[in-house]
Amino acid sequence: MLSSIWRYRHFIISSIRGELRGRFARSRLGGLWFILHPLAQALIFSIVLAEVMRAKMPNMANPAAYPIYLLSGMAAWGLFTEILTRSMNVFIEQASTLKKISFPRLCLPIIVWGSALINHVLLLCSIAFIFLFFGHFPGLAWLYVIPGMLLISVLAFGIGVFLGVLNVFARDIGQLMTVVMQLWFWCTPVVYVATAVPERFQLLLHLNPMMPLVALYQNALLLDEGPHWGDLWPAILIGALMVSLSFFVFRRASADLVDAL
């Protein structure tokens, strides 16, 4: 599978380029919508929670600390959900292409992966610009976002491809994951701090592989600190396991994938 993907690398690159151009081809703002959608969602949360409900960061006097914390967490979560949900549905959405053209089917989620990473980098650039209005200047700790980006995308890709194969044969998977992703979001410290969770739920919180990855972004972008590397091992192991499992399932089901579509 890997060698066939390498042979089709130019097809993958051109498809990523074409997708980025075509998604908002007739839109006046074009690629800005890649950035405006998550920023608008983060702005709504900031207004409701920071202003209406007076949410604040503990032990921080900076009034912009919570919006920065929120934008950082939303960026990490946005990358995760985009890769996972689109990979989960890509085989169904591209059913007609799979039936007409012969190419390695695993190229499709890889195209999704590459497109999401480019979108995420553009979002981070816009977030850095917004932080300047808050008087918060990016530091060297922003470089820790790079391994965080890699770990989040690998975890999302593994889960997405695995569920994407299952979704072809059982369409209820996609409906179920819509609810699961909503619950997963609220079980991840994105709009709240982990210390605000009652003690009896702390163990459940720490079983969430996205918690240390979101915290990596928040520590780097808000506190200008590096991650706690020991906390990342569960996410690394789960990500590696899910990628291996997704490749195994995809290889076993690849022959029947088009027929099921």
Side-chain angles (χ1 to χ4, degrees), residues 28-41:
R28 293 295 181 90
L29 295 180
L32 285 177
W33 288 113
F34 285 115
I35 301 170
L36 293 177
H37 283 154
L39 288 184
Q41 187 178 13

Side-chain angles (χ1 to χ4, degrees), residues 6 19 85 92 105 139 152 180-181 184-185 212 224 233 235 238:
W6 175 252
E19 181 179 336
T85 55
I92 296 175
R105 298 172 181 86
I152 290 174
V180 171
M181 293 304 294
W184 199 341
F185 173 78
D224 199 25
W233 280 110
I238 293 175

Side-chain angles (χ1 to χ4, degrees), residues 63-207:
Y66 181 74
I68 294 172
Y69 175 88
L70 181 60
L71 281 171
S72 305
M74 292 290 287
W77 182 259
L79 175 64
F80 177 71
T81 53
E82 181 177 2
I83 296 176
L84 193 156
T85 55
R86 291 192 60 204
S87 297
M88 184 176 61
N89 296 312
V90 69
F91 299 119
I92 296 175
E93 293 174 354
Q94 300 296 331
S96 59
T97 303
L98 289 171
K99 294 176 181 178
K100 296 176 182 178
I101 305 174
S102 177
F103 64 94
R105 298 172 181 86
L106 197 58
C107 289
L108 292 177
I110 292 178
I111 292 169
V112 168
W113 190 355
S115 174
L117 285 177
I118 295 174
N119 182 22
H120 186 66
V121 171
L122 294 175
L123 176 63
L124 289 177
C125 292
S126 66
I127 286 177
F129 185 73
I130 292 172
F131 283 2
L132 296 179
F133 286 98
F134 291 138
H136 185 76
F137 298 92
L140 290 177
W142 274 59
L143 295 176
Y144 290 113
V145 169
I146 297 176
M149 192 187 312
L150 177 63
L151 292 175
I152 290 174
S153 61
V154 167
L155 178 64
F157 179 83
I159 299 175
V161 173
F162 174 73
L163 295 177
V165 175
L166 298 183
N167 196 29
V168 171
F169 299 95
R171 302 298 171 90
D172 293 336
I173 296 293
Q175 302 298 328
L176 176 63
M177 285 304 297
T178 301
V179 179
V180 171
M181 293 304 294
Q182 294 179 10
L183 293 174
W184 199 341
F185 173 78
W186 289 107
C187 290
T188 306
V190 175
V191 300
Y192 58 87
V193 294
T195 54
V197 178
E199 185 66 30
R200 63 181 182 275
F201 297 119
Q202 284 291 332
L203 177 60
L204 179 64
L205 196 68
H206 284 82
L207 292 176

